[in-house]
């Protein structure tokens, strides 16, 4: 058996500053996440300049806390792993610079990890290994994509959203209903009190074979349901009503019906994908929306029906976190895939 590895993971791709220490790629010793939601809430979305400034202020305390909670020192580490792509470039740069400085000063290997690939690894944390080949589904604020995973590091894209990501649709529906930011968890909670069959929102499945996604039509249908028809033209256009004119029950019914339609689309795409790829041995789901109660329940039921294990991350590893970076970083380290000090942050993904 190999000596145990201790990887420090660093994540700063969007609006969470996170650090984590993971042993042997699976045992999470610490998982520290400093969220910036309060800083961005009044703008209704993440403001890149504010995010990168907040990362700079938080990154060192967050790393220190992760080491303290894990009960390890910098010298105990085997390597430093950092999410260097994709994401907001100014935010990514903060994590990448911190990781390079640490790796260089400690004389330890540096490992670069793709944030989306890491979401597909999150289900293995504090859990059993994933059975490959696997079908992957990443559902987050920036991504809604299906993948074929030969293993944790060899990943091929099967389909992706042609407009909004599903998390983005959740956030926009929350904004339309005037519920706050980030909207996903709020809509999920409200949906549990509403009637999911109240409204039949349109589901776009695209061409018969397509594994791509589209959520903008569904989102617009929610907008019209809440506000009625547009009145007037051009800049002067308004709507018949606003969210304030709806009762709490009406809002809950809209949230529940939207949630049913959105999850329905995800499950129907999984169905298409397993038909097209009958060799897969499991389905792995990751990203912020994998915390969604309806998606969790429906995907598990889908797996049971099709006799395929469905691997969902523990709740702490659904949203952006550094444990998934450290976990996948361990696989890269084991495979001898190191980065050097020329490592750059990249706004777009490599897969
Ligand atoms: O993975 P993540 O933290 O960041 C990105 O990489 O984008 O995902 C954040 C997204 C947000 O859009 C948020 O509203 C959504 O995940 N989200 C949820 C839930 N929890 C977070 N969406 C639906 N239901 C939830 N329970
Ligand atoms: Zn993410």
């Amino acid at each position: 058996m190999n000596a145990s590895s201790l990887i420090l993971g660093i994540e700063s791709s969007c609006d969470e500053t996170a650090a984590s220490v993971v042993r042997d790629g699976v045992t999470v010793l610490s998982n520290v996440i400093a969220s910036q939601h309060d800083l961005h809430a009044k703008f209704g979305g993440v403001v890149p300049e504010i995010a990168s400034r907040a990362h700079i202020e938080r990154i060192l305390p967050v790393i220190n806390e992760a080491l303290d909670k894990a009960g390890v020192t910098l010298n105990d580490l085997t390597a430093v792993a950092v999410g260097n792509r994709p994401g907001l470039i100014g935010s990514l740069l903060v994590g990448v610079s911190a990781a390079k400085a640490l790796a260089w000063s400690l004389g330890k290997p540096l490992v670069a990890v793709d944030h989306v690939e890491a979401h597909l690894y999150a289900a293995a944390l504090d859990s059993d290994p994933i059975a490959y080949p696997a079908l992957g589904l990443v559902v987050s604020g920036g991504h809604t994509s299906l993948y074929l995973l030969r293993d944790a590091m060899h990943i091929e894209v099967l389909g992706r959203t042609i407009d909004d990501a599903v998390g983005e649709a959740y956030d926009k529906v929350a904004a339309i209903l005037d519920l706050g930011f980030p909207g996903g968890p709020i809509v999920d909670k409200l949906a549990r009190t509403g009637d999911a069959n109240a409204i039949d929102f349109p589901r776009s499945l695209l061409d018969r074979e397509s594994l791509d996604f589209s959520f903008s039509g569904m989102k617009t249908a929610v907008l019209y349901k809440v506000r009625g028809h547009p009145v007037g033209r051009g800049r002067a256009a308004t709507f018949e009503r606003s969210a304030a004119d709806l009762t709490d029950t009406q809002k809950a019914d809209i949230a529940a019906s939207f949630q049913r339609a959105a999850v329905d689309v995800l499950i129907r795409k999984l169905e298409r994908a397993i038909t097209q790829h009958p060799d897969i041995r499991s389905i792995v789901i990751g990203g912020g929306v994998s915390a969604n109660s309806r998606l969790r329940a429906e995907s598990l039921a889908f797996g049971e029906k099709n006799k395929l294990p469905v691997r969902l991350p523990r709740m702490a590893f659904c949203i952006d976190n550094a444990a998934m970076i450290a976990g996948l970083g361990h696989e890269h380290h084991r495979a001898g895939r190191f980065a050097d000090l020329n490592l750059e942050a990249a706004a777009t993904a490599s897969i």
Side-chain angles (χ1 to χ4, degrees), residues 5-64:
S5 97
L6 276 181
I7 310 280
L8 170 69
I10 298 175
E11 153 65 33
S12 67
S13 66
C14 190
D15 61 339
E16 338 273 356
T17 318
S20 163
V21 179
V22 173
R23 189 197 295 135
D24 294 333
V26 286
T27 308
V28 180
L29 302 183
S30 62
N31 182 36
V32 179
I33 304 175
S35 153
Q36 307 174 3
H37 294 160
D38 48 334
L39 298 180
H40 302 283
K42 64 172 177 282
F43 302 103
V46 177
V47 183
E49 287 78 6
I50 294 176
S52 36
R53 203 173 314 146
H55 283 306
I56 293 173
E57 288 165 7
R58 292 160 195 219
I59 192 93
L60 293 179
V62 164
I63 291 172
N64 277 329

Side-chain angles (χ1 to χ4, degrees), residues 3-316:
S4 122
S5 97
L6 276 181
I7 310 280
L8 170 69
I10 298 175
E11 153 65 33
S12 67
S13 66
C14 190
D15 61 339
E16 338 273 356
T17 318
S20 163
V21 179
V22 173
R23 189 197 295 135
D24 294 333
V26 286
T27 308
V28 180
L29 302 183
S30 62
N31 182 36
V32 179
I33 304 175
S35 153
Q36 307 174 3
H37 294 160
D38 48 334
L39 298 180
H40 302 283
K42 64 172 177 282
F43 302 103
V46 177
V47 183
E49 287 78 6
I50 294 176
S52 36
R53 203 173 314 146
H55 283 306
I56 293 173
E57 288 165 7
R58 292 160 195 219
I59 192 93
L60 293 179
V62 164
I63 291 172
N64 277 329
E65 194 181 332
L67 293 166
D68 279 355
K69 286 200 165 143
V72 304
T73 67
L74 285 170
N75 283 322
D76 298 328
L77 298 174
T78 312
V80 179
V82 62
N84 76 317
R85 63 193 190 278
L88 299 171
I89 194 74
S91 290
L92 287 165
L93 272 171
V94 179
V96 169
S97 307
K100 280 188 194 177
L102 273 175
W104 176 77
S105 62
L106 296 166
K108 308 257 182 191
L110 176 68
V111 177
V113 172
D114 183 295
H115 177 90
V116 178
E117 293 182 13
H119 272 309
L120 289 168
Y121 184 87
L125 295 168
D126 283 339
S127 188
D128 299 326
I130 293 164
Y132 297 106
L135 177 71
L137 173 68
V138 172
V139 278
S140 71
H143 293 83
T144 302
S145 311
L146 279 164
Y147 303 88
L148 193 60
L149 291 88
R150 238 186 321 128
D151 59 40
M153 289 178 295
H154 295 91
I155 302 176
E156 186 190 319
V157 182
L158 299 176
R160 51 167 50 113
T161 181
I162 59 168
D163 42 56
D164 292 347
V166 63
E168 192 180 354
Y170 263 95
D171 294 336
K172 287 178 180 165
V173 164
I176 293 166
L177 287 170
D178 215 3
L179 298 175
F181 170 85
I186 310 173
V187 172
D188 187 4
K189 195 164 165 222
L190 182 62
R192 280 176 242 169
T193 67
D195 174 5
N197 296 313
I199 306 142
D200 205 19
F201 285 121
R203 290 114 163 104
S204 170
L205 296 171
L206 305 169
D207 291 344
R208 220 150 51 93
E209 302 280 298
S210 172
L211 297 180
D212 288 335
F213 298 86
S214 168
F215 288 100
S216 70
M218 194 184 293
K219 174 197 68 189
T220 307
V222 174
L223 177 75
Y224 287 158
K225 189 76 205 171
V226 172
R227 297 198 187 153
H229 293 292
V231 181
R233 282 168 179 271
R235 281 170 172 271
T238 54
F239 284 91
E240 286 173 311
R241 51 178 186 268
S242 76
D245 300 318
L246 300 182
T247 64
D248 288 348
T249 309
Q250 284 173 319
K251 284 189 182 182
D253 287 351
I254 290 172
S257 301
F258 160 74
Q259 176 145 293
R260 179 168 72 98
V263 171
D264 217 31
V265 168
L266 298 173
I267 300 292
R268 284 168 78 173
K269 292 287 172 169
L270 284 180
E271 199 158 29
R272 277 187 190 175
I274 64 165
T275 313
Q276 292 175 27
H277 298 275
D279 295 342
I280 54 141
R281 296 177 57 214
S282 66
I283 297 174
V284 40
I285 305 182
V289 185
S290 63
N292 184 265
S293 60
R294 190 172 179 110
L295 177 60
R296 291 179 86 88
E298 298 258 317
S299 60
L300 289 173
F302 173 80
E304 223 156 86
K305 193 175 113 198
N306 291 284
K307 306 212 167 8
L308 273 171
V310 170
R311 303 296 309 275
L312 293 160
R314 289 169 186 271
M315 291 301 267

